Amino acid sequence: MDGLATGRTGTVVRISGPLVEVDGMDAVSMLELVAVGPQRISAETVAIAGARATLQAYEYTGGLKAGDTAEATGRELSALLGPGLLGHVFDGLMRPLSSAPLWLTPDRASSTEDPATLARSWTFIPALSPGARLRPGDVLGTVPGAGSVEHKVLVPFGVSGEVTWLAPEGQLHALDAVARIGDHEVQLAQRWPVRRPRPFQGRLSEVVPLHTGQRVLDLMYPLARGAAAAVPGGFGTGKTLLLQQIAKWGDADVIVYVGCGERGNEMADVLDSLSKEVDARTGGRLIDRTVIIANTSNMPMMARESSIYTGITVAEFYRDMGYDVIVIADSTSRWAEALREFANRNGDLPAEEGYPANLASQLAAFYERAGRVTTLGGRTASVTVIGAVSPPGGDMTEPVTTDTQRFVRSLWLLDRDLAYSRHYPAVSWTGSFARDAQALGLWHDDNGNPGWAQQRSQAMALLAEADRLTSLAEIVGAASLPSHERIVLLGGRLLREGVLTQNDLSPNDGFCSGQKGAALLELVLGVVDTCQRLVERGVAATTIEAMDLSAVARAREETGPGDAAGVAARREEIIQALEELQ
């Protein structure tokens, strides 16, 4: 319907921050984009009552006044998905940001499609010939030079049939046609509504681990591909640094990093780091397989709300090509604050701490889009979501943190005391969990490490007992404890220093392979078991404590990132030296 038709235009009657009410738009649809005022500010319809529509504005509403015109656009908030996403930075509406890497100023336009992006040409290489019969998800061709992973042009959802025309190899723009399938013309790039999950054939029940390169996560609180994890932690506990390490070393083909409401200087550091970092997987720059959605705290608040959906839509786009994708959202707390801001202005009945009553369902809808699936084209791929949570004052009982725990498979709780004692990553072993640990233990059993689950359980028990005895030792003194309990205290310290601590600045320790991590854990547990046997044979605990066991803690730094054999050799040396004690 034409935008000027009756019921498709209206008049602004009320403005309250990002909330805009418009009269005379009785033909507008829910979630439809509306251009408001002379600047054609982008807004989305969130409520309709007769001819009055309530809009959620995605841009600064300063200068907008009652009496201004609003015009329905006939489409939802959508992302233009095509070549040119990897290695670039976009705002919450999927508009390209300034080309200067450290200046996050959006190119203002009423359209979410940038003219420079539409004008850029790409080389299209067809993968088949006319006459082929295709279904959604099949590959029409590829576009080289669109990032460090191969960009595949797929048949869109809802389109199938015989290819009656296919573009020859050559230069095409984003909105140029690449094929004609039946009566449908397929463009190089696709528009997709960001709030609508992209379809797939089915979810896979098989559990496969996602290797992050961080020992405390991979050994103690593992995450499966296609699952969701949350990283709650107060200010200064290292959330952003941990997420950067996962982005750098995570076992995924594509990274989508969503900076949602965080400080601009932090986002600038992330951009600078990703731009300079060498990608261990490809040898190029890490940013060449990364898409960044940046909506910092100084940008319009409601665009922050949309940035989460924009990021997960981009991830699903690459998932459909057959890639494993990690979405890092930093942080979902700022997204929830945007929901609270708009709900309060709209007069919605507030729930706990002023958040809207549907906060839990909104969080569930976001994390539900994670998954390891069979795509429409029959490929196995995944979207893994890792969301940071920034509870005010470090209060882990606030609504966003408690609701998030219900919908994630792993929780990596960051502890302030550990962070301030320079224990990195500051993942608490008392408040974290991994719901898929048992299933992942079975995977390790089938893939060459049958003792993984038992060693993990033994390490968890050692940490818990060491914590209990530490509290007791602070009262009565460690020397007053029985010898076997003093060995538990020693083992807890070795486990913390030799396995759970990791130096991200070290070339040997910044990344840890799964084999080396398992070898380090076996080293510590082997030393503890040997010490307990010595105590049972009558060797005094003071004699064992007097022995220099620093080689156990140094093994992580003095062996290479994947040198499991070197760790195993050191284990034999240390245990042999212990056995010689009298």
Side-chain angles (χ1 to χ4, degrees), residues 126-152:
L128 43 84
S129 302
R133 297 196 65 85
L134 301 179
R135 61 180 185 177
D138 287 342
V139 178
L140 287 167
T142 58
V143 177
S148 60
V149 299
E150 184 180 52
H151 183 92
K152 303 172 185 177

Side-chain angles (χ1 to χ4, degrees), residues 4 7 23 40 46 78 121 139 151 170 181 189 193 221 248 251 349 366 382 403 412 429 536 559 572:
L4 298 178
D23 263 346
R40 297 184 64 80
V46 296
S78 302
S121 62
V139 178
H151 183 92
I181 302 175
Y221 308 105
K248 179 179 178 181
D251 188 16
L349 184 66
F366 168 63
S382 65
D403 285 342
W412 302 329
W429 48 84
E536 292 173 0
T559 55
E572 296 302 322

Side-chain angles (χ1 to χ4, degrees), residues 232-248:
F235 176 78
T237 54
K239 292 189 300 297
T240 300
L241 184 58
L242 178 59
L243 294 175
Q244 286 184 47
Q245 286 297 97
I246 294 173
K248 179 179 178 181

Side-chain angles (χ1 to χ4, degrees), residues 32 66 103 122 203 235 248 287 295 303 313 378 388 461 537:
E32 184 173 353
W103 293 96
W122 300 92
R203 292 183 182 270
F235 176 78
K248 179 179 178 181
I287 199 169
N295 201 267
T313 299
R537 282 174 11 203

